[in-house]
C-alpha cells in the first residue's frame, strides 16, 4: 500500500513581470547654482501605472556610466508613497554640497518597479559656478589717447564674466577729480541675456571747465556690488589694470620758446 499525497485545490499561477516601467521626467528648481546656494528641488513626474513601494534613485551620468549620488540610492532611495503614486509626482531634495563644484553635471533618476524592472529618466543638467566675478580692466576706449581737453571722457570697464547690469552703478567707482558726475551703460556681453553684461561704458563729466590734471576711475573700496548669473557676489579683492586721462586746457604761450618748439614739431609731424 503506497502513501498518497493529499489533494490540493488547483493550479498555482506565477506571474513573471519583465516589463519596464514608463519613463519618469524631472524638473529642477534651478539649473545654475552658486557656492552659497541652498539645496536644489527635483520634481519627478511619475509614469502612468506607478505603484506605492516603487523606488526612485538618483545618479550622475557621464561617459555612458551611472554613478550613484550618496544618500539617494539603495536603502536611501526615495520610496513612492500611496499619495505620490496617486498624484503622479514626488519631490527629491538634492543637497548643493553633492553637486560638483564649478562644473556642468548631467543627472538621471532611475525608477524601479515592484518586480525589479528599471527605467532611467532622460538626463537633466545642473551647473555649479563658484567663481566670484571681478573687474579686469578700467581703460580708455581704443580711439582715445591720454591727453584731452574735453568736457567729458569715457572709460570702458571690463568684468571677468557677465554680471547683473542694474547692479553696476556710479557708486561702485571713485573718480578723480572728486565731485564729477558718472553715468554707466552696458555696452557688451558674453551671453544673450540682456540683464547681464561684461563691458560697461562709464562717462565722467561735470568737472570744472578750467580743471587740469588727471582724470581717473577706480573701484570704490576696492570692489563693486554686483553678482554673476549664478548669484556669486564680486570678489573681495580686486586689482584691475587701469588707464587715465591728463586734461590740459591751457593754450600754448607763443612767447614761450618751449611752446614754439612744441608747435613747430607738431606742424612738422602733421
Amino acid at each position: 500500500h503506497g502513501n498518497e499525497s493529499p489533494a490540493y485545490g488547483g493550479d498555482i499561477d506565477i506571474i513573471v513581470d519583465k516589463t519596464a516601467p514608463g519613463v519618469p521626467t524631472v524638473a529642477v528648481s534651478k539649473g545654475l547654482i552658486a557656492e552659497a546656494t541652498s539645496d536644489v528641488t527635483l520634481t519627478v513626474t511619475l509614469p502612468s501605472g506607478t505603484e506605492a513601494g516603487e523606488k526612485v534613485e538618483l545618479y550622475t551620468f557621464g561617459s555612458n556610466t551611472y554613478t550613484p549620488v550618496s544618500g539617494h540610492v539603495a536603502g536611501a532611495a526615495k520610496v513612492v508613497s500611496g499619495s505620490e503614486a496617486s498624484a503622479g509626482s514626488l519631490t527629491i531634495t538634492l543637497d548643493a554640497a553633492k553637486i560638483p563644484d564649478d562644473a556642468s553635471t548631467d543627472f538621471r533618476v532611475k525608477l524601479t518597479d515592484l518586480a525589479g524592472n528599471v527605467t532611467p529618466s532622460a538626463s537633466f543638467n545642473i551647473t555649479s559656478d563658484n567663481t566670484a566675478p571681478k573687474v579686469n580692466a578700467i581703460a580708455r576706449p581704443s580711439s582715445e589717447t591720454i591727453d584731452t581737453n574735453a568736457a567729458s571722457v569715457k572709460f570702458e570697464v571690463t568684468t571677468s564674466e557677465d554680471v547683473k547690469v542694474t547692479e553696476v552703478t556710479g557708486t561702485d567707482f571713485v573718480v578723480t577729480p572728486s565731485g564729477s558726475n558718472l553715468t554707466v551703460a552696458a555696452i557688451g556681453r558674453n551671453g544673450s541675456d540682456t540683464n547681464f553684461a561684461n563691458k560697461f561704458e562709464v562717462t565722467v563729466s561735470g568737472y570744472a571747465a578750467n580743471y587740469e590734471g588727471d582724470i581717473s576711475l577706480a573701484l570704490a573700496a576696492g570692489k563693486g556690488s554686483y553678482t554673476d548669473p549664478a548669484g556669486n557676489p564680486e570678489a573681495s579683492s580686486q586689482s584691475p589694470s587701469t588707464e587715465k586721462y591728463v586734461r590740459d586746457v591751457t593754450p600754448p604761450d607763443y612767447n614761450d620758446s618751449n611752446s614754439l618748439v612744441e608747435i613747430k614739431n607738431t606742424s612738422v609731424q602733421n
Side-chain angles (χ1 to χ4, degrees), residues 152-164:
S152 66
V153 297
K154 298 181 185 296
F155 289 93
E156 292 181 351
V157 177
T158 305
T159 56
S160 58
E161 59 178 308
D162 286 350
V163 297
K164 198 166 186 178

Side-chain angles (χ1 to χ4, degrees), residues 141-156:
S142 58
S143 59
E144 300 296 327
T145 62
I146 189 171
D147 297 309
T148 186
N149 63 357
S152 66
V153 297
K154 298 181 185 296
F155 289 93
E156 292 181 351

Side-chain angles (χ1 to χ4, degrees), residues 18-19 32 55 90 106 123 161 175 177 207 230 234 244 251:
K18 293 185 178 181
T19 302
L32 176 62
K55 295 191 307 180
L90 56 81
D106 284 335
S123 292
E161 59 178 308
V175 63
Y207 40 79
E234 79 288 343
K244 67 178 182 179

Side-chain angles (χ1 to χ4, degrees), residues 78-174:
K78 172 69 175 178
V79 178
V80 180
S81 69
S83 60
E84 291 167 336
S86 298
S89 68
L90 56 81
T91 59
I92 296 173
T93 300
L94 175 59
D95 187 341
K98 294 179 181 178
I99 299 172
D101 290 339
D102 282 317
S104 181
T105 304
D106 284 335
F107 291 84
R108 287 188 179 186
V109 299
K110 286 184 178 181
L111 174 63
T112 303
D113 68 15
L114 298 178
N117 300 301
V118 181
T119 296
S121 70
S123 292
F124 57 95
N125 184 271
I126 299 176
T127 299
S128 172
D129 173 8
N130 296 346
T131 302
K134 62 181 180 179
V135 172
N136 285 340
I138 301 174
R140 298 183 303 271
S142 58
S143 59
E144 300 296 327
T145 62
I146 189 171
D147 297 309
T148 186
N149 63 357
S152 66
V153 297
K154 298 181 185 296
F155 289 93
E156 292 181 351
V157 177
T158 305
T159 56
S160 58
E161 59 178 308
D162 286 350
V163 297
K164 198 166 186 178
V165 168
T166 57
E167 294 176 343
V168 180
T169 67
T171 59
D172 293 321
F173 304 97
V174 174

Side-chain angles (χ1 to χ4, degrees), residues 212-265:
E212 293 192 322
D214 291 351
I215 302 176
S216 63
L217 199 65
L219 293 178
K223 62 176 184 176
S225 59
Y226 47 83
T227 57
D228 67 11
N232 292 300
E234 79 288 343
S236 59
S237 178
Q238 303 180 57
S239 299
S241 62
T242 59
E243 293 180 342
K244 67 178 182 179
Y245 292 90
V246 177
R247 190 168 192 259
D248 177 5
V249 294
T250 302
D253 183 355
Y254 294 102
N255 294 317
D256 178 67
S257 59
N258 290 326
S259 295
L260 290 174
V261 171
E262 181 180 345
I263 294 169
K264 182 179 180 180
N265 287 341

